[in-house]
Amino acid sequence: KGYSTALAASSPWLPVNPAIASQGVSLNSVEYSPKNSNVIWMTGRSTLAGKSAYVFRSVDGGANWSQNTIPTGGGGVTNIAVRNDTVAIIGTYSGQIFRTQNGGAKWDTVYSYATPAVAFMDGIAYVGGNRETAIAIGDADDLGSLIARSTDGGLTWTRITALPAEDLSAGKYFSFASYGQAISAVGNSIWSTWYAGSAFNPRIVKSIDGGVTWTGASIALPGGTANNYFFRSINMAGDSIGYAVGRRVGGTTTDFDNPLMKTTNGGTTWDSLSVEAGANNIQKVYSAKPIPGTNQVVA
């Protein structure tokens, strides 16, 4: 978005498909095929009337893109998880999971909320080297916060009900429209951020067995009080080190509005790296991602 001819003249970035921009599409997630970097999947939704959901796919490293329109009932796509060159799954605003097994030519509904009035699928990810297991997280309904698990590549799903009692209760939500950034998977371990309500510190839920069992831990915020925070993103560099970036719900420009936190013990405890304050203002940073094989982090 915001592409200009001046930018093109001074930057190695080029528009890959002008037709996307002409449709008023907001793009929100992108993922490579795990064994073929020339196959790229990207999701978005129309900002125009109707708000159609889209999945774009390139098989030549991004030079050309095919387009699929997904019938999500008016909701956009939150994020995409890619199993291989032809199989992918998406979560939607309307609380559904769709799956394709033919490169996006056809998408099938494989999971839906039982109570669609409150449905919102916040994030979805494949887990493990063979990507047979997948995890989806969603906002709370009258059964509590939602975690669903698949063990057949995303074809069938089962809701996980054995969650910590403080996390399962209705009214506690996942990641407030993080567009898939608030879930991170390394090997068989999964982490996700959780908004616990205005009176409590936000939480991280974690599984080390591919989503079968889960534990939860509060994040102690720099200011010492909850004050209505959620964590928009979490990115783990491995089993121990990871980064989470928070935001006040309906955020203002007050101190501690945008905490950047780091864990060195797999998410059990978190330390503040910096917060919005004076010259160190980091307001509206959405994520911090470690670069594999280095000590560098990009926010």
Side-chain angles (χ1 to χ4, degrees):
K1 296 184 292 184
Y3 172 77
S4 69
T5 54
L7 177 64
S10 61
S11 170
W13 291 88
L14 298 172
V16 294
N17 189 344
I20 295 176
S22 69
Q23 296 169 22
V25 174
S26 173
L27 304 175
N28 54 27
S29 67
V30 62
E31 187 171 343
Y32 288 93
S33 179
K35 295 184 178 180
N36 185 355
S37 61
N38 282 320
V39 179
I40 311 169
W41 304 68
M42 182 167 57
T43 69
R45 72 180 182 94
S46 173
T47 58
L48 307 176
K51 298 186 182 302
S52 297
Y54 298 97
V55 176
F56 303 96
R57 180 173 176 266
S58 173
V59 297
D60 55 11
N64 297 281
W65 297 82
S66 60
Q67 173 188 303
N68 302 121
T69 303
I70 314 299
T72 62
V77 179
T78 54
N79 75 302
I80 188 168
V82 177
R83 187 179 186 190
N84 53 41
D85 290 2
T86 57
V87 178
I89 49 180
I90 57 174
T92 73
Y93 290 31
S94 47
Q96 299 163 301
I97 299 172
F98 288 82
R99 180 178 185 267
T100 182
Q101 58 182 7
N102 57 10
K106 181 176 182 293
W107 292 85
D108 300 307
T109 306
V110 291
Y111 188 86
S112 298
Y113 267 68
T115 51
V118 295
F120 194 102
M121 202 65 68
D122 292 283
I124 195 164
Y126 279 107
V127 182
N130 58 14
R131 301 201 171 201
E132 289 183 0
T133 300
I135 297 294
I137 59 173
D139 281 3
D141 58 13
D142 53 5
L143 298 178
S145 299
L146 184 141
I147 297 179
R149 182 173 185 262
S150 172
T151 58
D152 55 11
L155 181 60
T156 61
W157 294 81
T158 301
R159 183 165 182 164
I160 302 295
T161 56
L163 296 175
E166 62 269 29
D167 293 315
L168 183 60
S169 61
K172 295 186 178 181
Y173 298 89
F174 275 105
S175 46
F176 267 78
S178 71
Y179 302 105
Q181 292 193 84
I183 185 171
S184 184
V186 177
N188 287 318
S189 296
I190 313 113
W191 295 260
S192 181
T193 66
W194 210 309
Y195 171 63
S198 60
F200 303 95
N201 281 333
R203 294 176 62 79
I204 297 288
V205 292
K206 177 184 178 181
S207 174
I208 60 173
D209 55 13
V212 177
T213 59
W214 294 81
T215 57
S218 293
I219 299 181
L221 293 165
T225 58
N227 214 0
N228 213 21
Y229 280 93
F230 69 103
F231 271 75
R232 188 180 289 273
S233 67
I234 182 171
N235 289 284
M236 300 298 295
D239 290 335
S240 300
I241 297 175
Y243 302 86
V245 178
R247 186 83 177 132
R248 195 190 306 272
V249 176
T252 65
T253 56
T254 58
D255 286 351
F256 309 125
D257 191 44
N258 196 187
L260 171 60
M261 313 290 286
K262 179 181 180 180
T263 182
T264 58
N265 55 16
T268 302
T269 59
W270 294 80
D271 299 314
S272 175
L273 294 182
S274 63
V275 294
E276 178 184 348
N280 296 320
N281 185 311
I282 61 164
Q283 185 184 13
K284 294 188 178 179
V285 170
Y286 289 103
S287 66
K289 297 186 178 184
I291 301 174
T294 75
N295 290 323
Q296 300 181 51
V297 183
V298 175

